[in-house]
Amino acid sequence: MLQTGYGGPEVLRLAEHPLPQLGDAEVLVQVHAAGLARAAWHMMTGKPYLLRAAVGLRRPRQPVMGHNLAGTVAAVGANVTRFRVGDEVYGIGRGTFAGFSAAPEEKLALKPAGLDFEQAAVVPLSGLTALQALDAAKVAPGMKVLVLGAAGGVGSFAVQMARAAGAEVTGACSAGKAEFVRSLGAAVTIDYTREDFAAAGPRFDAIIDVGGNPSPARLRRALAPGGTAVLAGGEGGNRLTGSIFERQGGGAFLSLFGNRRLTGLMCRENGKDLERISAMIEAGEVVPRVDGRYRLADVAEAMRRLESGRVCGNVVLVP
């Protein structure tokens, strides 16, 4: 699936493309499934515009879309030691919306036992972001944790991981998704369209914000003394920088006063954290939730599903 420019699904087209060149520390993976993360929507639209400075001004320098993958190792670079041909792996690669993708060895892990490729493919970016957000908040047994955007890709993992850590989890979502969020392990749900999570004053030891809309002041108001809010999402805001930089800057400023901390998070793509997630999955503590499955040729329809806001969990593409 090639991207010819920035815009809506009309900039995407299915076409033949050469196999990716394999670096010495890379693995060639035959892709059996590719998770459709929110990052792919930002890449398609080129928004916020600051993103284009990093990936290409008029069109992405990497023409094949996609980051998440699950599949079988087809070849390994000269310096690869952790994987061999035939291994079933999952993780993050270059241009994963394709039959084959090249992935750095350090960004892959063996596929968890018991998961099919479609379930495994939705884990990498969403699962890593959730895990690292909980690490940043130092979530521990007995803590009261609020997850904003609890029904989405990252949020569905954050709820399960916080529950597995022994926390009491509250999930914010729309009313129609409340049952889904409770099935993930949330003890309480908040309808964000009708209730203000900050209205009752300080009560949460940690807030994992993947909804991307609340002001830093509201997040701080909902934190208990000594609490931490992790800003792991950034939708909305101005067209140049989006909201994430503004909110992270505001959070850093507010953290200078008192004992409530607001911190930003950029996902670190690495296989060691994927192995931690694999252990949770194999222990039955985390189950990837797949909302919809689409053929690679139907990626435009999958994007529209993602944009609709109706997704519970994650969307996957099958080449």
Side-chain angles (χ1 to χ4, degrees), residues 15-105:
E16 295 291 328
H17 193 70
L19 283 173
Q21 293 185 341
L22 197 62
D24 287 345
E26 291 187 322
V27 174
L28 183 67
V29 179
Q30 181 178 0
V31 180
H32 298 314
L36 181 60
R38 189 71 181 177
W41 181 88
H42 286 289
M43 185 66 72
M44 179 184 74
T45 60
K47 296 178 181 178
Y49 295 143
L50 187 63
L51 172 69
R52 304 185 189 190
V55 301
L57 294 178
R58 299 185 64 184
R59 63 180 62 86
R61 287 186 289 272
Q62 164 60 43
V64 185
M65 294 192 70
H67 301 89
N68 292 322
L69 64 79
T72 304
V73 174
V76 297
N79 296 333
V80 171
T81 59
R82 294 175 53 232
F83 305 105
R84 60 185 180 181
V85 173
D87 283 346
E88 296 182 346
V89 296
Y90 76 131
I92 296 167
R94 293 186 281 113
T96 63
F97 295 178
F100 291 84
S101 171
E105 178 185 25

Side-chain angles (χ1 to χ4, degrees), residues 199-221:
R203 52 179 171 157
F204 297 107
D205 302 301
I207 300 175
I208 310 301
D209 174 23
V210 291
N213 293 317
S215 68
R218 283 183 66 207
L219 292 172
R220 188 177 188 275
R221 191 160 63 245

Side-chain angles (χ1 to χ4, degrees), residues 90-185:
Y90 76 131
I92 296 167
R94 293 186 281 113
T96 63
F97 295 178
F100 291 84
S101 171
E105 178 185 25
E106 64 182 11
K107 295 185 180 182
L108 294 175
L110 293 173
K111 181 174 70 67
L115 283 193
D116 60 32
F117 287 108
E118 295 176 13
Q119 290 176 300
V122 304
V123 174
L125 281 176
S126 295
L128 286 172
T129 302
L131 178 70
Q132 293 165 13
L134 267 64
D135 285 347
K138 298 180 180 179
V139 172
M143 289 177 61
K144 294 184 177 181
V145 176
L146 171 66
V147 179
L148 301 174
V154 177
S156 60
F157 283 108
V159 170
Q160 294 181 78
M161 291 176 181
R163 181 69 185 86
E168 179 185 316
V169 184
T170 297
C173 59
S174 62
K177 298 179 180 179
E179 184 176 349
F180 171 74
V181 172
R182 285 193 291 269
S183 77
L184 299 172

Side-chain angles (χ1 to χ4, degrees), residues 146 148 196-198 207 209 211-223 229-231 233 235 243-244 246-252 254 262:
L146 171 66
L148 301 174
D196 182 0
F197 67 86
I207 300 175
D209 174 23
N213 293 317
S215 68
R218 283 183 66 207
L219 292 172
R220 188 177 188 275
R221 191 160 63 245
L223 282 173
V230 181
L231 285 69
E235 302 304 324
S243 68
I244 189 67
E246 297 173 7
R247 296 172 69 244
Q248 287 188 2
L254 289 177
L262 290 87

